[in-house]
Amino acid sequence: MMEFTGEKYRISVLTDRMIRLEYSEEGVFEDRPSFAVVNRNLEDNFEMYAKDQADVLRIETKYLILNYDKKEFSSQGLTIYLKENDVTWNFGEAYDDWSNLGGTARTLDDADGRVRLEKGLFGKKGYSVIDDSKSPVFDGNEYVKRTGSCVDVYFFGYGKDYYKGLSDFCRLSGQMPMIPRYALGNWWSRFYRYTEDSYMEVVENFAKEEIPISVAVIDMDWHITEVDPKYGSGWTGYSWNKDLFPDYKRFLKKLHDHKLAVTLNLHPADGIRAFEDMYEDFGRAYGELSGAKTKGKESAISDSNENRPYEFDFGDKKFRDAYFETVMHPYEDNGVDFWWIDWQQGTGKTPKDVDPLILLNHYHYEDQKKRNLRPMIFSRYAGVGSHRYPVGFSGDSHATWKSLDFQPYFTSNASNIGYGMWSHDIGGHMLGDKNLERLVRWIEYGVFSPIMRIHSSSSPFFNKEPWTLEEPYRGIVKKFMRLRHELIPYLYSENHRSFAESKPLVRPMYYDYGADNEESYEVPNQYRFGENLLVSPVTRPEDQELRLGCSLGYIPEGRWYDIFNGRIYEESGILKMYRDLSEMPVLIPAGGIVPLAKLEGELNDTGNPATLRILIGGGADGDYTLYEDDGSSMNYEGGAFVTTSFSTSFDAAKKSATFTIEPAQGDLSLIPKKRSYELEFLGIKGDSTKIMIPETSVKEKIVISLENVELLTNDYKKQVFEILDRAWIRSTDKDMVYGKLQNLDRASFSKWLRSADISENLKSAISEVTG
């Protein structure tokens, strides 16, 4: 880092693409970590030229040229030229610049579709600016509001090098943390007045359906909600409702016996009030921390104010310490794994307050981390820097097609600010209408989203329990929810990649393909799902004639295979993809490898599996590394983890393919001593493309060879017949199309189809398979 400082300005060149710009009339600059920025010394080595004269400062790096007149920052006096894009940024211009690709938003509460997004790190012009002038700073061990009126902004000029931009951002603002392994399974949640027995009935019904779940969410009715009006509302509460849960410790143990992690909902705004079970213990602890002498039942309350509440104040360390000691930790000791922090009360009571959401997220997260627990909270987004505190709760969205259609874009776009772990109310929380097609499509999307959490309101007509659904919806939901748990080895490896390489699980298509193809910017609902999957969720109602749903996707160069139906894509470009309700477009590339768990034994157990089912995109070389650790502690930071490398090769001339499993490396006590494998090759045919490997020591190398291998092609006539057979259209139209299909070659048929007198949607669906 190089700094250039004048009486009222400081300019810090952090990398050859990132510059910090500060201006203060008082000449006071900020060196403390802020909520958004925790490390400004990036220790990069790069070439830089500087011309520092009396009335001008010129700085040039490989990518940027800064010119500054050394006066108060202005659009004419401070500019940065981005060489590769041949564009110039003028100070002040980009705060609401339409060209910014966007970041994310604090919440989707009460949203019916799109919401306005805050700014992200990237822009169509190649740059973005993040304003850190007002975010709180960390003073010692406390977050405090900034004083003064210093301008403090960061210029990011990364062009289309999105991964480098994210990597540098995470060095500046903190890594994307790993989350507990259990969080990657299915969560069950409902705003419902459960009892111990009725909640356990839900758990047992999931078991009967053979549908795994990993997280039990208990919304606010776990605590007393009907309180004496003199205390206010029952929205805040910390005491178990014993009418519903007579023995909460027994209840939590039952959930853990079913291999479930547990989270409880908190609305902490009203503090600790006199009716709470821990009121006296809290008062005693708070008093001791305040240095007050204990007197009677409590210490910090006078006789005349004996029943006054302890007002919520997370900016007060004494309050926080007493809160964790007497409220949070005892419940965690009894089986609460993490907390759903449902803060909805704004950004503070006075202008001097630090946003309580920032404080809640930070101190809850750090409280777990310092106890060697893999920290996780479930809370709302609090601004730039929030990626350090997963998981994000997006809020109470409407149960409509518009909401579903917005969520894939919203989720992948959040990667533009490093926020890779949104959790949505899958199926929608409220309002809307009953629509089982939409519910199934939402669950399908949820399975291929960062967190799969089904949630809804308490309405007796708003049921998402799979066993309450009629067929075929029930069977499809079961298929996809089981798939979510099968995906955990892949998801967890990608979770580690986020931590180690600053690559979020869900990434906009332009991250990988935007440098060479503008079409990748035109598919906002398609995304990369880790290294080896492309996902295009169906988010709109099916066509009533075709009885197929449709999604818009970009097919990159190469061969791609749909993991559900084996369909092959070889032509690059934007394409409408059609699927019946039981499928959605999820593509693996030739050479791609996706390790899955085979579900066996205790379905809810998300531990490192004894049997792996591995999907392999045939027809190209590729490799993948499976990452595993204990899934629950911070021990991986000290080297307690295991990696297993897989690779595949293809030789077209020799008509052969191989798949290799290398010996596992690392702390082998963390995984089974022996493993069995089921290999499934897509896109090729040969002597065998589904191979079973019996239990073998994880210390051994395994090489599987396939002979007589050829690349598959689509049976396009069969696929067109299936589209026609399914469609609710005139039989004469079906006969006409099918007749041409039988009598014309592929190219002639495609040419005829373009001018055929049939619906455009039918043409589009047929063109997907004929090219």
Side-chain angles (χ1 to χ4, degrees):
M1 178 179 72
M2 289 291 293
E3 288 186 357
F4 300 86
T5 306
E7 182 181 350
K8 296 182 178 181
Y9 70 85
R10 182 169 67 175
I11 293 178
S12 307
V13 185
L14 303 177
T15 76
D16 52 9
R17 292 185 170 193
M18 186 197 308
I19 301 178
R20 183 189 189 193
L21 308 165
E22 296 173 275
Y23 184 87
S24 167
E25 284 293 336
E26 296 80 21
V28 177
F29 307 111
E30 185 58 75
D31 292 319
R32 294 169 294 181
S34 73
F35 180 72
V37 175
V38 297
N39 172 39
R40 301 184 184 97
N41 187 15
L42 302 187
E43 299 181 351
D44 270 17
N45 293 315
F46 54 89
E47 292 185 0
M48 183 184 70
Y49 165 79
K51 181 180 180 181
D52 191 355
Q53 296 180 329
D55 58 353
V56 65
L57 173 63
R58 177 183 174 90
I59 301 170
E60 182 171 356
T61 72
K62 180 179 179 181
Y63 299 97
L64 309 174
I65 301 175
L66 176 145
N67 283 291
Y68 173 45
D69 64 5
K70 297 193 173 183
K71 299 177 183 177
E72 183 176 0
F73 291 169
S74 67
S75 60
Q76 296 302 312
L78 176 57
T79 64
I80 299 178
Y81 175 67
L82 185 60
K83 296 179 183 179
E84 62 184 317
N85 291 69
D86 191 25
V87 295
T88 298
W89 169 77
N90 299 79
F91 176 81
E93 160 203 329
Y95 285 79
D96 291 304
D97 188 358
W98 61 268
S99 72
N100 191 272
L101 289 169
T104 193
R106 187 176 177 105
T107 182
L108 295 181
D109 275 328
D110 203 26
D112 186 12
R114 299 185 67 85
V115 301
R116 182 179 176 84
L117 301 182
E118 299 175 16
K119 290 181 57 180
L121 304 172
F122 310 113
K124 294 177 182 177
K125 295 180 181 179
Y127 61 77
S128 179
V129 174
I130 299 297
D131 189 351
D132 195 35
S133 304
K134 297 187 183 303
S135 69
V137 293
F138 209 55
D139 190 10
N141 293 316
E142 299 294 315
Y143 271 118
V144 298
K145 271 290 188 73
R146 296 191 191 210
T147 57
S149 56
C150 180
V151 173
D152 188 0
V153 300
Y154 291 77
F155 178 90
F156 293 81
Y158 285 85
K160 293 183 177 181
D161 195 347
Y162 300 108
Y163 288 126
K164 178 59 175 172
L166 275 176
S167 175
D168 284 352
F169 170 73
C170 287
R171 291 196 295 148
L172 177 80
S173 191
Q175 289 175 291
M176 303 176 197
M178 293 192 68
I179 61 174
R181 190 177 176 98
Y182 64 72
L184 296 170
N186 297 310
W187 300 25
W188 175 253
S189 176
R190 186 173 184 180
F191 179 33
Y192 191 81
R193 197 173 175 82
Y194 283 112
T195 65
E196 176 183 351
D197 289 341
S198 64
Y199 201 99
M200 292 311 302
E201 183 180 2
V202 170
V203 173
E204 294 293 345
N205 281 335
F206 272 110
K208 291 176 183 176
E209 291 285 309
E210 297 184 316
I211 296 176
I213 54 176
S214 62
V215 176
V217 182
I218 298 92
D219 212 319
M220 60 179 289
D221 284 298
W222 69 270
H223 65 73
I224 297 169
T225 58
E226 297 175 357
V227 302
D228 190 318
K230 71 180 182 181
Y231 297 118
S233 79
W235 204 248
T236 296
Y238 299 97
S239 304
W240 282 83
N241 186 330
K242 295 182 177 60
D243 292 333
L244 304 179
F245 301 95
D247 186 343
Y248 78 85
K249 296 179 184 179
R250 177 183 64 199
F251 173 59
L252 295 175
K253 183 178 184 302
K254 287 180 181 179
L255 294 175
H256 278 273
D257 288 345
H258 282 79
K259 303 296 183 182
L260 298 176
V262 182
T263 185
L264 305 182
N265 176 277
L266 293 177
H267 294 98
D270 288 337
I272 311 297
R273 293 172 288 177
F275 65 84
E276 300 286 7
D277 293 343
M278 68 290 298
Y279 180 71
E280 293 182 8
D281 289 339
F282 182 92
R284 187 176 298 111
Y286 185 81
E288 291 173 356
L289 291 165
S290 302
K293 296 180 180 179
T294 54
K295 181 175 100 174
K297 292 191 298 181
E298 53 197 73
S299 57
I301 301 176
S302 67
D303 292 336
S304 60
N305 293 313
E306 191 165 311
N307 291 319
R308 72 167 176 84
Y310 290 93
E311 292 189 3
F312 173 84
D313 184 1
F314 240 52
D316 177 2
K317 185 177 186 302
K318 299 185 295 296
F319 180 94
R320 287 199 313 271
D321 289 348
Y323 168 88
F324 284 120
E325 176 188 338
T326 65
V327 186
M328 298 292 101
H329 292 172
Y331 283 156
E332 292 175 26
D333 291 342
N334 290 319
V336 177
D337 294 282
F338 65 102
W339 297 92
W340 175 6
I341 304 166
D342 203 349
W343 180 262
Q344 300 172 327
Q345 283 71 35
T347 58
K349 294 181 179 179
T350 73
K352 295 182 180 180
D353 290 341
V354 174
D355 184 349
L357 184 60
I358 287 176
L359 301 177
L360 282 162
N361 291 355
H362 175 77
Y363 290 113
H364 265 278
Y365 192 88
E366 291 299 319
D367 176 71
Q368 289 185 313
K369 187 175 181 179
K370 69 186 181 184
R371 292 179 284 149
N372 197 39
L373 301 173
R374 182 78 59 84
M376 187 173 76
I377 58 171
F378 184 38
S379 185
R380 287 174 172 80
Y381 177 79
V384 180
S386 292
H387 67 280
R388 299 193 302 273
Y389 311 103
V391 164
F393 167 49
S394 68
D396 301 337
S397 61
H398 291 201
T400 62
W401 284 105
K402 287 196 295 183
S403 286
L404 169 56
D405 191 46
F406 180 60
Q407 285 185 4
Y409 164 74
F410 178 80
T411 306
S412 65
N413 216 70
S415 294
N416 287 341
I417 201 67
Y419 200 71
M421 278 291 163
W422 270 121
S423 169
H424 303 300
D425 290 353
I426 297 300
H429 174 72
M430 58 187 184
L431 303 177
D433 57 2
K434 182 173 182 176
N435 187 309
L436 295 183
E437 177 198 354
R438 186 182 65 228
L439 173 60
V440 170
R441 289 301 190 192
W442 218 321
I443 288 173
E444 290 174 355
Y445 163 64
V447 167
F448 288 92
S449 69
I451 300 294
M452 167 55 180
R453 178 181 56 87
I454 297 177
H455 184 71
S456 64
S457 72
S458 60
S459 169
F461 304 106
F462 211 158
N463 300 306
K464 298 176 184 174
E465 293 84 349
W467 51 91
T468 68
L469 308 178
E470 61 198 65
E471 294 292 356
Y473 311 103
R474 180 176 182 171
I476 299 171
V477 167
K478 176 179 178 177
K479 165 188 168 181
F480 273 87
M481 292 186 73
R482 286 178 63 87
L483 175 59
R484 177 67 186 198
H485 276 237
E486 292 174 352
L487 280 164
I488 287 176
Y490 178 71
L491 294 172
Y492 198 70
S493 297
E494 294 302 316
N495 180 26
H496 180 260
R497 190 185 308 280
S498 299
F499 165 76
E501 301 178 23
S502 302
K503 284 185 168 183
L505 170 65
V506 176
R507 314 164 198 167
M509 290 293 288
Y510 50 78
Y511 276 24
D512 290 278
Y513 309 108
D516 302 316
N517 201 307
E518 288 296 315
E519 289 180 319
S520 63
Y521 292 86
E522 299 173 17
V523 285
N525 276 12
Q526 186 187 28
Y527 50 90
R528 285 285 296 269
F529 194 63
E531 286 294 284
N532 283 328
L533 293 174
L534 291 187
V535 178
S536 298
V538 178
T539 58
R540 298 184 182 184
E542 70 177 23
D543 181 275
Q544 294 302 301
E545 289 189 341
L546 299 180
R547 298 195 301 130
L548 295 171
C550 176
S551 68
L552 187 68
Y554 169 71
I555 307 299
E557 297 286 344
R559 278 173 64 89
W560 295 82
Y561 314 119
D562 189 298
I563 68 169
F564 292 112
N565 58 34
R567 187 169 294 171
I568 301 164
Y569 297 88
E570 295 184 277
E571 295 183 15
S572 176
I574 288 183
L575 183 69
K576 288 183 177 179
M577 293 179 279
Y578 291 83
R579 298 293 187 272
D580 67 34
L581 190 60
S582 68
E583 297 177 349
M584 64 184 286
V586 178
L587 310 184
I588 184 174
I593 298 170
V594 176
L596 307 173
K598 183 175 181 181
L599 300 187
E600 48 193 5
E602 173 52 71
L603 294 182
N604 296 343
D605 188 350
T606 60
N608 300 321
T611 302
L612 290 174
R613 183 167 73 92
I614 303 177
L615 300 181
I616 305 150
D621 298 349
D623 57 75
Y624 190 81
T625 299
L626 175 70
Y627 172 90
E628 298 169 289
D629 58 29
D630 65 17
S632 60
S633 78
M634 301 300 292
N635 293 342
Y636 67 93
E637 292 185 333
F641 60 85
V642 183
T643 58
T644 306
S645 296
F646 307 120
S647 61
T648 185
S649 65
F650 173 71
D651 189 323
K654 295 181 179 179
K655 294 186 176 182
S656 66
T658 63
F659 186 78
T660 302
I661 304 171
E662 299 290 347
Q665 303 292 319
D667 185 352
L668 301 188
S669 67
L670 296 168
I671 64 174
K673 293 181 179 180
K674 294 184 177 181
R675 270 186 167 147
S676 54
Y677 304 87
E678 299 179 5
L679 310 183
E680 181 177 350
F681 288 84
L682 288 81
I684 60 174
K685 59 182 178 180
D687 293 341
S688 177
T689 56
K690 291 188 177 181
I691 299 169
M692 310 287 291
I693 303 174
E695 269 195 348
T696 306
S697 170
V698 297
K699 297 180 180 179
E700 292 186 25
K701 181 175 181 176
I702 301 172
V703 180
I704 300 297
S705 299
L706 281 68
E707 305 297 334
N708 302 314
V709 175
E710 297 179 21
L711 296 179
L712 282 172
T713 58
N714 286 322
D715 186 346
Y716 73 94
K717 291 186 177 182
K718 177 183 177 184
Q719 292 175 9
V720 172
F721 177 85
E722 291 170 348
I723 292 170
L724 294 171
D725 188 45
R726 182 178 181 83
W728 285 355
I729 60 175
R730 292 178 301 182
S731 296
T732 53
D733 286 349
K734 294 185 180 185
D735 290 336
M736 175 181 65
V737 174
Y738 193 61
K740 294 293 185 182
L741 181 71
Q742 296 297 96
N743 296 319
L744 297 175
D745 61 41
R746 187 168 184 166
S748 299
F749 175 78
S750 295
K751 181 178 180 181
W752 170 84
L753 184 67
R754 287 193 288 272
S755 59
D757 186 20
I758 57 176
S759 76
E760 291 302 313
N761 284 342
L762 180 57
K763 289 182 185 179
S764 180
I766 293 173
S767 295
E768 181 193 352
V769 299
T770 60

